[in-house]
Amino acid sequence: MKKILVTGAFGLVGSELVPALQKKYGQDSVILLSHNKTDNNFKGIIEKGDVSDISNLEGVIKKHNIGTIYHLAGLLSVGSEKNPQLAWQVNVGGLKNVLDLAVKYKNKVFWPSSIAAFGPTTPRHHTPQHTVLEPTTMYGVNKVTGELLCQYYFLKYGLDVRSLRYPGLNGWRAEPGDGTTEYAIHIFYGAIKEKKYSCFLSENTVLPMMYIDDAIEGTIKLMEAPADKISVRTSYNFAAVSFSPKELAEEIKKIDPEFVCIYAPDHRQKIADSWPTSIDDSQARKDWGWQHKFDLVGMTKALYDNIKRKLRK
Ligand code: SER
């Protein structure tokens, strides 16, 4: 059987997708690619390499007889603002390398876009699937470019590339990365370690969010759907819940009444303000049966319990 390559294997999504794929397809069927990190908690075949280095990537694809690529490696919104040149190189250059090799080796590809593809001119509430894409962040510019590249490779070369516009994903296995929605993960570390958290977004900033288990299930479901069900080859709107920092803090307080959240918005507020508050994902629900399971209450409990258990180890 052909193998599965996961780039960015130890990131927020990779660290939860890899075990799910290993469980489904067998441990030796999944190859983990990472440019700098290894994690001793992970079992599996690990390769070191940077997605901007096409010859290294080609070597890994050939060596392991790769059939499917989950291309997750990339910089998030805040990291991309710190280093826009590197963001372009990794987020766009890395994707282009993956797409070119996927044409050559006939791979199927998953690549995540984001709510960051939207911008201040996009309708902010129940943002439609097909709408204005004029992002004002480098990360958003990378995502729109990537979406169009994916669709182009599908139309031009028949490449089976599929994509989701991830909302803020909240997981516990990996440390939270350099993103804007990531406050919703950091807050749990603050709550569990010190019973307090200083939030870098204002209390009423509503953003689309999702618990990681839903994201993993949706990602695998999209990749397993018959090709004729996939009507969107840029990237699907993909949603679960929307909430503000204040609503999340209230929910955490139900678990630990001593928890205190204060609000000190910084430069990241501007990024959040350019994104939608909620997403219309009816196309994904109609085309390939997307359904989320976790609401704010379920997500909060799962994150609190899992992060607490992880910190005890
Ligand atoms: N979590 C991402 C970020 O905030 C959104 O795609 O950068």
Side-chain angles (χ1 to χ4, degrees):
M1 196 189 109
K2 290 214 167 196
K3 297 198 169 159
I4 300 167
L5 177 66
V6 181
T7 76
F10 300 111
L12 179 71
V13 180
S15 65
E16 317 245 6
L17 180 68
V18 164
L21 292 172
Q22 285 175 329
K23 196 168 160 212
K24 205 169 165 77
Y25 300 106
Q27 190 171 295
D28 292 342
S29 299
V30 186
I31 313 302
L32 289 66
L33 184 77
S34 176
H35 75 295
N36 61 356
K37 277 192 244 168
T38 51
D39 184 330
N40 294 336
N41 295 321
F42 273 85
K43 295 194 172 52
I45 306 161
I46 301 174
E47 291 281 358
K48 249 191 159 167
D50 190 327
V51 291
S52 340
D53 177 352
I54 194 164
S55 58
N56 181 280
L57 201 54
E58 180 161 18
V60 172
I61 291 173
K62 282 205 307 212
K63 177 176 164 192
H64 294 285
N65 189 25
I66 298 297
T68 300
I69 304 173
Y70 287 83
H71 174 44
L72 307 176
L75 279 75
L76 292 178
S77 57
V78 179
S80 298
E81 287 314 300
K82 282 185 198 151
N83 195 342
Q85 305 300 332
L86 182 67
W88 182 269
Q89 187 187 317
V90 175
N91 292 352
V92 179
L95 173 63
K96 173 105 177 3
N97 288 343
V98 167
L99 295 176
D100 283 331
L101 291 170
V103 171
K104 185 165 173 188
Y105 294 96
K106 302 192 178 357
N107 301 124
K108 186 170 175 178
V109 178
F110 173 81
W111 171 76
S113 182
S114 160
I115 51 164
F118 304 120
T121 52
T122 307
R124 293 195 76 203
H125 309 295
H126 304 290
T127 303
Q129 173 67 50
H130 300 286
T131 185
V132 182
L133 298 174
E134 295 179 336
T136 46
T137 62
M138 183 44 129
Y139 181 62
V141 170
N142 297 165
K143 290 301 188 189
V144 173
T145 309
E147 288 192 11
L148 294 175
L149 267 182
C150 289
Q151 178 174 254
Y152 181 78
Y153 275 65
F154 168 72
L155 295 171
K156 178 86 175 172
Y157 306 110
L159 183 70
D160 191 356
V161 49
R162 305 176 182 198
S163 176
L164 297 171
R165 288 175 180 148
Y166 282 157
L169 300 184
N170 300 315
W172 55 273
R173 253 184 251 268
E175 296 302 308
D178 215 357
T180 305
T181 62
E182 270 65 11
Y183 87 82
I185 309 175
H186 288 289
I187 194 171
F188 286 91
Y189 289 85
I192 293 162
K193 284 184 183 163
E194 313 173 81
K195 294 185 183 288
K196 62 173 195 262
Y197 178 65
S198 173
C199 184
F200 56 77
L201 297 183
S202 67
E203 59 184 342
N204 293 321
T205 308
V206 176
L207 288 167
M209 297 278 189
M210 186 181 288
Y211 184 52
I212 194 72
D213 286 21
D214 275 340
I216 299 304
E217 213 179 297
T219 301
I220 294 175
K221 199 170 167 72
L222 169 74
M223 289 299 275
E224 288 186 341
D228 63 357
K229 298 277 183 215
I230 310 298
S231 70
V232 175
R233 289 291 180 166
T234 49
S235 189
Y236 275 101
N237 280 8
F238 185 57
V241 288
S242 285
F243 56 79
S244 65
K246 191 177 172 191
E247 287 167 318
L248 178 57
E250 290 303 323
E251 216 42 59
I252 296 174
K253 267 189 212 162
K254 287 184 194 161
I255 301 174
D256 181 355
E258 287 174 39
F259 173 59
V260 177
C261 190
I262 59 162
Y263 301 91
D266 64 13
H267 59 282
R268 290 166 278 196
Q269 183 67 43
K270 199 171 150 211
I271 300 178
D273 287 342
S274 76
W275 292 349
T277 61
S278 61
I279 302 289
D280 175 355
D281 63 352
S282 48
Q283 193 73 47
R285 290 175 191 262
K286 181 170 152 258
D287 282 3
W288 46 274
W290 160 239
Q291 266 180 308
H292 71 278
K293 291 200 186 88
F294 285 81
D295 59 8
L296 174 59
V297 178
M299 185 202 83
T300 305
K301 191 174 171 355
L303 283 171
Y304 195 93
D305 291 349
N306 281 316
I307 294 175
K308 192 166 182 181
R309 209 183 54 232
K310 186 176 93 165
L311 291 176
R312 261 204 223 112
K313 277 187 191 163

